[in-house]
Amino acid sequence: METKIFKSDQINQAAALLRQGELIAFPTETVYGLGADALLPQSVEQVFTVKGRPSDNPLIVHVVDFPMTKEFVENYHPLTEKIVKNFWPGPLTLIFSIKPGSLSPVVTGGLSTAAFRMPDNEMTLALIEKTGAPLVGPSANTSGKPSPTTALHVYHDLKGKIAGILDDGATQIGVESTVLDLSGEVPTILRPGAVTKEKLEEVLGIEIPLDKHLVKESETPKSPGMKYKHYSPDTPVLMIRPADWNNALDWAKSNEKKVGLLATPKVAKRYESADRFVFDEDTIEAATRGLFSGLRALDEGHKVDVIFAEVFPEDHLGLAYMNRLKKAAAQNYFAEK
């Protein structure tokens, strides 16, 4: 299969392919998604096949506006209107209880709930509108690997497997959306993202718990991204605490390990001997934006034995960064033997 690259003036062509049951990757402000018409179960099944994704892993349904959810949702949490007004379009996914039979079990993972998001990307909103149906959109990569933040990343993983990619350059945020469960009485974060716990609590005026439960392979997750290990390159990743950089690099040298460094400019300039992917700035925003790109670059281009990754405090956006990094590293920090 030829995988075509579509630009903004070719959205009609991409939408036509989606209506025919083909798969089209699309850009969002977070990462690129692998799109299929959410109302065509056979197309959705192909998403799992192409990604190599476990079929019990539910998919996020991308909508053009909030009214599009009403065909599927059985009842809304009382805070829904306030949340949507403040955070849609944007990097916030909402989980609702749905009407029986309104969505195929292949979309929901067999659950009685489904996840919905209105992405903050004009090209993709136009794509959904012209398709005339909501789109499922898990990250457009091989399952378990670092998520794609450019069309080139998608092409690398899925060339020849999907009909096309709608290209809108690099994504702005770099990690997947926050997932907020609104199917129970208490809104609960299942996956942290750019819409932080602090932002939600400020707007809603209530405490928002964070579900830190890590789902084992035998369990069905309620949200994508809840697995213990995820986003992992082939190269082993170790998280490096601030006080451990010298010891970690000494350990690598004594064990003849070629190191790939994933760090801010402030840290990277101290260790110029290693192969490096340096974030644009010394900020958590730059680190989050560059995390997946950096993991991919060091894994695919540098032939390193181990990737040393800088850690950040686990608050605000740092919670989303560390959530992804911990899973990429299978929870492993550097520790001297």
Side-chain angles (χ1 to χ4, degrees):
M1 176 187 297
E2 180 187 0
T3 299
K4 298 179 181 178
I5 305 296
F6 295 107
K7 299 297 185 179
S8 58
D9 60 349
Q10 298 173 303
I11 292 176
N12 283 330
Q13 297 176 42
L17 287 168
L18 284 164
R19 290 194 298 271
Q20 294 166 20
E22 300 288 353
L23 306 187
I24 299 290
F26 57 80
T28 75
E29 74 279 29
T30 58
V31 301
Y32 273 71
L34 180 54
D37 186 326
L39 305 184
L40 300 178
Q42 288 184 323
S43 297
V44 178
E45 287 174 357
Q46 286 301 306
V47 170
F48 289 95
T49 301
V50 164
K51 280 180 60 67
R53 182 186 178 100
S55 59
D56 67 348
N57 210 346
L59 301 173
I60 293 173
V61 179
H62 293 69
V63 296
V64 72
D65 53 25
F66 179 65
M68 188 178 260
T69 68
K70 295 180 179 179
E71 181 181 345
F72 312 102
V73 178
E74 188 163 49
N75 51 65
Y76 292 98
H77 191 281
L79 289 172
T80 299
E81 184 176 346
K82 192 171 188 178
I83 292 168
V84 168
K85 180 180 178 181
N86 281 275
F87 296 107
W88 275 19
L92 180 64
T93 293
L94 302 176
I95 293 181
F96 300 112
S97 297
I98 58 170
K99 300 172 184 176
S102 62
L103 285 168
S104 168
V106 73
V107 175
T108 64
L111 301 174
S112 60
T113 57
F116 297 87
R117 180 162 104 86
M118 181 183 176
D120 190 10
N121 182 282
E122 291 184 5
M123 287 175 65
T124 288
L125 292 176
L127 179 68
I128 298 169
E129 185 171 21
K130 292 178 184 299
T131 303
L135 303 178
V136 299
S139 56
N141 60 315
T142 302
S143 186
K145 299 304 178 186
S147 298
T149 56
T150 68
L152 186 60
H153 293 162
V154 181
Y155 195 77
H156 175 275
D157 282 17
L158 303 181
K159 175 187 176 183
K161 297 180 180 180
I162 63 175
I165 303 165
L166 185 60
D167 185 2
D168 192 30
T171 63
Q172 297 116 336
I173 294 173
V175 297
E176 300 83 356
S177 61
T178 305
V179 177
L180 185 67
D181 187 0
L182 293 180
S183 65
E185 290 186 12
V186 180
T188 302
I189 295 172
L190 300 187
R191 181 178 72 185
V195 175
T196 64
K197 172 182 166 72
E198 292 84 359
K199 288 179 183 176
L200 286 165
E201 290 177 340
E202 181 182 353
V203 168
L204 301 179
I206 61 171
E207 184 177 350
I208 306 293
L210 173 67
D211 185 346
K212 294 186 178 181
H213 172 61
L214 293 174
V215 176
K216 299 176 182 177
E217 291 305 317
S218 59
E219 296 180 80
T220 299
K222 198 171 188 179
S223 159
M226 294 181 73
K227 294 287 188 179
Y228 183 84
K229 184 178 181 183
H230 201 51
Y231 318 112
S232 301
D234 293 330
T235 306
V237 178
L238 286 175
M239 296 177 284
I240 312 297
R241 296 182 177 92
D244 288 339
W245 278 104
N246 287 335
N247 289 339
L249 287 161
D250 287 344
W251 168 84
K253 185 177 180 180
S254 64
N255 286 276
E256 298 183 346
K257 300 282 189 183
K258 186 176 181 182
V259 174
L261 206 64
L262 184 63
T264 57
K266 183 177 180 180
V267 168
K269 71 180 180 181
R270 291 154 46 193
Y271 307 107
E272 295 184 355
S273 60
D275 288 296
R276 300 177 300 160
F277 184 94
V278 184
F279 302 132
D280 294 338
E281 301 170 336
D282 293 311
T283 63
I284 184 58
E285 290 80 10
T288 303
R289 191 166 56 246
L291 175 61
F292 289 141
S293 291
L295 288 171
R296 281 178 171 268
L298 291 170
D299 186 45
E300 295 164 8
H302 290 263
K303 307 299 182 187
V304 297
D305 299 312
V306 62
I307 296 171
F308 285 174
E310 184 174 353
V311 302
F312 280 80
E314 293 185 58
D315 56 17
H316 300 275
L317 187 57
L319 188 62
Y321 172 90
M322 289 303 297
N323 172 271
R324 304 325 192 269
L325 178 56
K326 283 182 175 181
K327 291 175 183 176
Q331 316 297 314
N332 292 318
Y333 286 87
F334 169 78
E336 285 191 278
K337 305 299 182 186

